[in-house]
Amino acid sequence: MQAESEIVVMKFGGTSVAGSDDIRRAAGRIVGARREGKRVVAVLSARGQTTDELLGMAYEVSDRPLAREMDMLLSTGERISCALCAMAIHDMGHNAISLTGSQAGIVTDSSHTKARILDVRAKRIREALTDDRIVLVAGFQGVSGDSRDVTTLGRGGSDTTAVAIAAALGAEVCEIYTDVRGVFSADPRLVAEARLLKMVSFEEMLEMAASGAKVLQLRAVEYARNNGIPIHCRSSFEEGPGTFVLSEEETMERPLVTAVTHSEQEARVTLTGVRDEPGIAGRIFGALAESNVNVDMIIQNEPISEDHKADLSFTVGREDLPTATEVLAGLDLGERILTDERIGKVSIVGAGMRSHPGVAAKVFQVLGDNRINIEMISTSPIKISCVIDAADVPGAVNALHQAFELGEDAVRREDPTGDHRPIIEPGGDGGEPGDERDAA
Ligand code: MG
C-alpha cells in the first residue's frame, strides 16, 4: 500500500533524541507525518553527547586510535538512537524498522572518519516503505565499497545521510529537525537581534557552513545543491516556519548581505622560506590533500626579499593541525613551520554582493572603527572573510551585524510586515545561520 504517496525524509539531531522524552517526541513527529499519509524515512544522530563520549573512550585506551576501529565505535551511537526510536514508534501503533547505514545501502569511499558517500543503494529502504513500515536509518555512517568496513562521514554527518537518502528516493524535501528554530542572520548566542531567515540559497548556505555556521553540515548542503533537494531546517521542540534552503531562483529575497558567520575552530599554519619556483605550492597542497586535510584560506605573495623566499600561510580546522604540521615537516620545502591556534574568523555572506561594489571596504572600515586588526583576508563572489584575533570575534560579529542592518529591528523599520528584505545600499540586509550542532 501507499506505493505512490509522497516520501519525506526527516532528520533528528543529537539534542532532539537526547533523553527518552526526546525520543518519544521525535517518534511522535515521525508518526504524525505517517498519519498525514506520507511514507517516512527518519535519519537519527547519536543521542546528546554520545559521539563525544565515544571519542573520549577511544582516547582513554589509545593515543592514536586506529581509524577503522574508531568508525566501528562511533557508528554505534546512531544505531542506539534508531533502535530506541523504532521501539517507541511500535508502541504508538506503527510499524518501524531500524537500519544501520550499511543496511540502508549507504556506500562510501574508504577514508575512515571522513568518508564520502559514493552511492545510495536504497532497495532495502524502498522495500520496507512498500511494506508500510517507517524506516529509521542510522546517520553519519556507511560502508566502504572496497574494504566493506564501516565508515563514518565526519562530524555532523547525519545531515549528509539524510540529504543523500532524500536524493536517492526522490523525496520532495529533506527536513532537518534540530535544537534551533532555523538559520539565523548571526549566531543568536552572540547577537541578541539575530533574525531567523525564511530562506537562504544553496550557494549562500554553502559559504555560511564553510565559514562557521553549524546549523547544517557543509557536505550536506553541497549534496543538496548538486541534487536539487530543498532542505527545510526547523526546530524539533516547537512549531515554527524554520528556514528553507533552496536554489537561488527559488529564493525570492536577494539581499546584499544575508548573514554574519564566525569560527573559532581554525588554526593558522605559516611556512617560512619557501622557494620561489614552479611546482612548490602544488607539492605542499597536494600532500595536504592526500592526507585529507581541508585547507581554507591560503595566502602567498611574490617574494620581495633578496633571497627570493616566500612565506606561505593557510588556515585549517584545528583538529587537522597536527596532521598538517606533520605533512609539512615531512616535505622539507620551507625553513620554519609556525602555528597559531588563537585565530578567529568572521565572514559576511550574501548573494547580492556579487554585483555591488563597496561591501569589502565597508567590512574593513567597520572592523577598523572597532579597533579590530585584520590578519588575513579572503573573498569569494558572495563572501568576505577576515582572520582576526579569537578574542575579537564576538565584537566583530556584532559590529558587522549592526553595520549591515541585519537584525530584527532594521527589517521592521524598512517593512512593517517583516516579510520582505529590501536591498539597502551599500549596506544590505539579511541574516545568517543560527548555530547549533545538536550536541553531537
Ligand atoms: Mg550531531
Side-chain angles (χ1 to χ4, degrees):
M1 82 176 263
Q2 291 293 338
E4 297 309 315
S5 61
E6 183 192 329
I7 295 176
V8 60
V9 175
M10 306 167 85
K11 181 259 172 177
F12 292 86
T15 314
S16 306
V17 292
S20 1
D21 289 345
D22 301 312
I23 296 243
R24 279 193 294 266
R25 185 185 312 109
R29 285 224 180 232
I30 293 167
V31 164
R34 181 72 199 93
R35 291 207 174 116
E36 285 169 18
K38 292 173 186 151
R39 290 179 290 165
V40 187
V41 178
V43 173
L44 306 187
S45 286
R47 309 176 76 191
Q49 308 296 327
T50 302
T51 305
D52 288 330
E53 286 161 11
L54 292 170
L55 277 165
M57 285 180 206
Y59 286 101
E60 271 170 32
V61 298
S62 165
D63 289 339
R64 291 188 143 233
L66 288 171
R68 180 194 183 277
E69 303 308 329
M70 189 60 115
D71 278 349
M72 280 298 276
L73 179 70
L74 295 185
S75 63
T76 60
E78 274 67 15
R79 297 181 185 200
I80 293 171
S81 306
C82 287
L84 292 174
C85 193
M87 295 172 192
I89 291 173
H90 270 273
D91 283 5
M92 295 172 182
H94 285 261
N95 228 329
I97 181 177
S98 66
L99 300 174
T100 66
S102 170
Q103 288 173 323
I106 309 285
V107 179
T108 70
D109 63 17
S110 314
S111 41
H112 284 292
T113 76
K114 36 168 101 169
R116 275 188 178 271
I117 296 178
L118 300 177
D119 195 11
V120 180
R121 299 180 190 153
K123 185 157 171 276
R124 188 153 178 198
I125 299 181
R126 275 204 203 87
E127 284 169 1
L129 290 174
T130 308
D131 288 348
D132 195 20
R133 288 170 137 171
I134 289 166
V135 183
L136 297 157
V137 178
F140 166 67
Q141 58 188 273
V143 60
S144 157
D146 290 338
S147 66
R148 283 177 288 146
D149 285 328
V150 171
T151 52
T152 63
L153 311 179
R155 300 310 302 264
S158 301
D159 289 349
T160 307
T161 305
V163 172
I165 289 175
L169 297 175
E172 301 276 304
V173 60
C174 180
E175 297 186 336
I176 306 259
Y177 288 89
T178 178
D179 59 359
V180 292
R181 289 185 287 129
V183 181
F184 283 80
S185 59
D187 185 338
R189 287 177 309 184
L190 285 190
V191 182
E193 318 80 63
R195 196 167 66 89
L196 179 69
L197 303 175
K198 288 202 171 69
M199 45 184 108
V200 182
S201 71
F202 287 130
E203 285 70 24
E204 289 174 317
M205 199 62 232
L206 271 176
E207 294 282 15
M208 286 158 66
S211 59
K214 296 193 191 82
V215 203
L216 295 169
Q217 200 211 23
L218 175 61
R219 272 193 192 167
V221 184
E222 204 174 45
Y223 208 107
R225 181 196 54 183
N226 294 347
N227 292 277
I229 300 292
I231 295 177
H232 188 190
C233 179
R234 51 202 298 205
S235 166
S236 66
F237 298 92
E238 51 182 277
E239 292 301 325
T243 304
F244 279 94
V245 186
L246 303 159
S247 70
E248 206 163 278
E249 304 82 70
E250 289 169 290
T251 59
M252 278 118 70
E253 320 177 26
R254 206 58 62 78
L256 187 57
V257 174
T258 298
V260 184
T261 55
H262 71 280
S263 164
E264 284 153 329
Q265 308 300 320
E266 282 159 72
R268 171 171 42 204
V269 182
T270 301
L271 187 61
T272 68
V274 181
R275 288 204 307 279
D276 183 28
E277 52 190 68
I280 302 282
R283 280 171 62 193
I284 293 173
F285 291 102
L288 289 166
E290 224 156 78
S291 300
N292 242 322
V293 172
N294 225 338
V295 174
D296 183 25
M297 270 189 212
I298 303 174
I299 304 242
Q300 201 211 292
N301 210 340
E302 172 82 356
I304 35 175
S305 63
E306 298 262 298
D307 59 357
H308 266 264
K309 296 263 177 83
D311 293 343
L312 173 67
S313 289
F314 57 89
T315 60
V316 295
R318 214 164 279 173
E319 71 285 356
D320 281 339
L321 185 59
T323 317
T325 48
E326 214 170 280
V327 168
L328 290 188
L331 286 176
D332 200 23
L333 286 176
E335 278 156 16
R336 283 206 301 157
I337 302 164
L338 310 171
T339 61
D340 182 359
E341 294 190 54
R342 290 276 317 138
I343 63 164
K345 191 172 73 179
V346 59
S347 309
I348 61 163
V349 174
M353 74 175 79
R354 208 177 260 138
S355 47
H356 285 79
V359 180
K362 179 161 172 174
V363 169
F364 307 148
Q365 279 155 12
V366 169
L367 295 178
D369 290 347
N370 285 273
R371 316 248 2 111
I372 294 167
N373 192 39
I374 303 170
E375 299 175 16
M376 295 167 89
I377 298 167
S378 83
T379 64
S380 86
I382 63 167
K383 183 195 71 177
I384 295 157
S385 294
C386 298
V387 165
I388 57 178
D389 191 292
D392 287 331
V393 165
V397 172
N398 272 288
L400 290 168
H401 195 267
Q402 205 173 10
F404 285 97
E405 302 184 46
L406 306 186
E408 295 285 7
D409 285 357
V411 175
R412 245 180 265 122
R413 253 188 286 116
E414 290 293 330
D415 175 2
T417 67
D419 271 332
H420 171 69
R421 287 186 292 163
I423 289 183
I424 303 164
E425 295 189 55
D429 108 321
E432 118 164 323
D435 106 277
E436 193 250 14
R437 155 169 298 179
D438 329 87

